[in-house]
Amino acid sequence: GNYFKNVYKFNNIESSYMGVKLEIYKNLNLIRENSVAISYYEDIKPGRRPDLVRKIIDILSNNNIKCYIYPFNYEKNNINIINLGTLTEEQLNNLYNKCKVGIVFSNTNPSRLGFEMYASGLNVIEYESEFTKYDLPDKYFTKIKDETNILTTVNELFNKPYDNSFLQNIDINCDFKNFEKFINKNL
């Protein structure tokens, strides 16, 4: 919505986010470990930047940071790499509530995973791209282009207090209401 408002100057645009089911993805206020949940898609989804994700996993795991990897396994012998495979929504929320940082990259299309991670209480690292520029506010999402300073960034996010003030924006129920408002306004 922000992109079309800024670039095309449309007047009939209603704000919208990728809605998250907040009854599923929620902060359980558990004690979290200094670990990272990482969405890894091998090479079948090049837009998820698997090359960069592999570099990040290597850097973090070699510096004694536990990396919980899903939905695909990252085959490397390192005690700090925990492969989880495909998870249910409940398992994902539990994973997100175990860690302090989440990493997911969206270079060809936006991903709901970053919003789900955020809703579950994670500080999220996303890929800096056209697809994250407008709808993932810098106040709530850390965006990177490469693995430079990833260790410092993750360690800083381990100590950054979680700010839940963006939750209302990504509540799927608010998104439904905004859509209904848009339809009614343009009939």
Side-chain angles (χ1 to χ4, degrees), residues 54 57-58 61-62 73-79 81 83:
R54 285 190 287 270
I57 293 169
D58 287 343
S61 64
N62 288 332
N73 290 341
Y74 182 63
E75 300 301 332
K76 187 163 186 181
N77 191 14
N78 184 315
I79 61 168
I81 296 173
N83 289 302

Side-chain angles (χ1 to χ4, degrees), residues 158-187:
F158 282 161
N159 296 306
K160 180 182 176 186
Y162 174 68
D163 178 353
N164 70 354
S165 59
F166 189 61
L167 276 180
Q168 184 177 347
N169 295 63
I170 62 171
D171 181 349
I172 198 163
N173 295 312
C174 290
D175 214 29
F176 290 152
K177 288 176 189 169
N178 284 341
F179 182 68
E180 182 181 19
K181 180 176 157 187
F182 172 79
I183 296 297
N184 289 331
K185 185 169 88 174
N186 291 293
L187 286 176

Side-chain angles (χ1 to χ4, degrees), residues 43-168:
D43 293 321
I44 64 165
K45 287 190 172 186
R48 298 292 179 217
R49 296 298 315 269
D51 54 330
L52 178 56
V53 173
R54 285 190 287 270
K55 290 176 187 174
I56 288 171
I57 293 169
D58 287 343
I59 291 168
L60 296 178
S61 64
N62 288 332
N63 283 280
N64 292 317
I65 294 178
K66 243 185 237 184
C67 300
Y68 293 94
I69 313 297
Y70 74 95
F72 290 93
N73 290 341
Y74 182 63
E75 300 301 332
K76 187 163 186 181
N77 191 14
N78 184 315
I79 61 168
N80 293 309
I81 296 173
I82 299 96
N83 289 302
L84 301 172
T86 305
L87 303 171
T88 65
E89 289 179 323
E90 182 181 348
Q91 290 169 326
L92 276 173
N93 189 61
N94 288 332
L95 168 63
Y96 297 158
N97 274 274
K98 179 181 205 164
C99 305
K100 288 186 180 176
V101 173
I103 298 176
V104 58
F105 291 145
S106 309
N107 191 33
T108 54
N109 60 297
S111 173
R112 181 175 280 115
L113 291 174
F115 290 115
E116 292 169 350
M117 289 175 171
Y118 169 77
S120 299
L122 290 174
N123 288 310
V124 179
I125 298 174
E126 248 287 10
Y127 189 67
E128 185 178 322
S129 75
E130 194 69 23
F131 299 101
T132 60
K133 182 177 179 179
Y134 298 99
D135 296 320
L136 298 174
D138 294 341
K139 180 178 179 183
Y140 308 103
F141 297 88
T142 301
K143 295 175 218 142
I144 63 172
K145 275 286 201 193
D146 58 38
E147 73 280 5
T148 306
N149 299 320
I150 189 64
L151 188 58
T152 301
T153 301
V154 166
N155 280 317
E156 286 172 356
L157 291 175
F158 282 161
N159 296 306
K160 180 182 176 186
Y162 174 68
D163 178 353
N164 70 354
S165 59
F166 189 61
L167 276 180
Q168 184 177 347

Side-chain angles (χ1 to χ4, degrees), residues 12-48:
N12 62 341
I13 294 177
E14 197 65 41
S15 293
S16 177
Y17 288 92
M18 263 194 224
V20 174
K21 296 177 182 176
L22 296 183
E23 64 276 3
I24 294 172
Y25 295 99
K26 56 189 166 204
N27 187 349
L28 302 173
N29 295 307
L30 305 174
I31 295 174
R32 297 169 184 261
E33 60 184 41
N34 286 344
S35 61
V36 182
I38 301 176
S39 174
Y40 174 59
Y41 281 93
E42 292 183 326
D43 293 321
I44 64 165
K45 287 190 172 186
R48 298 292 179 217

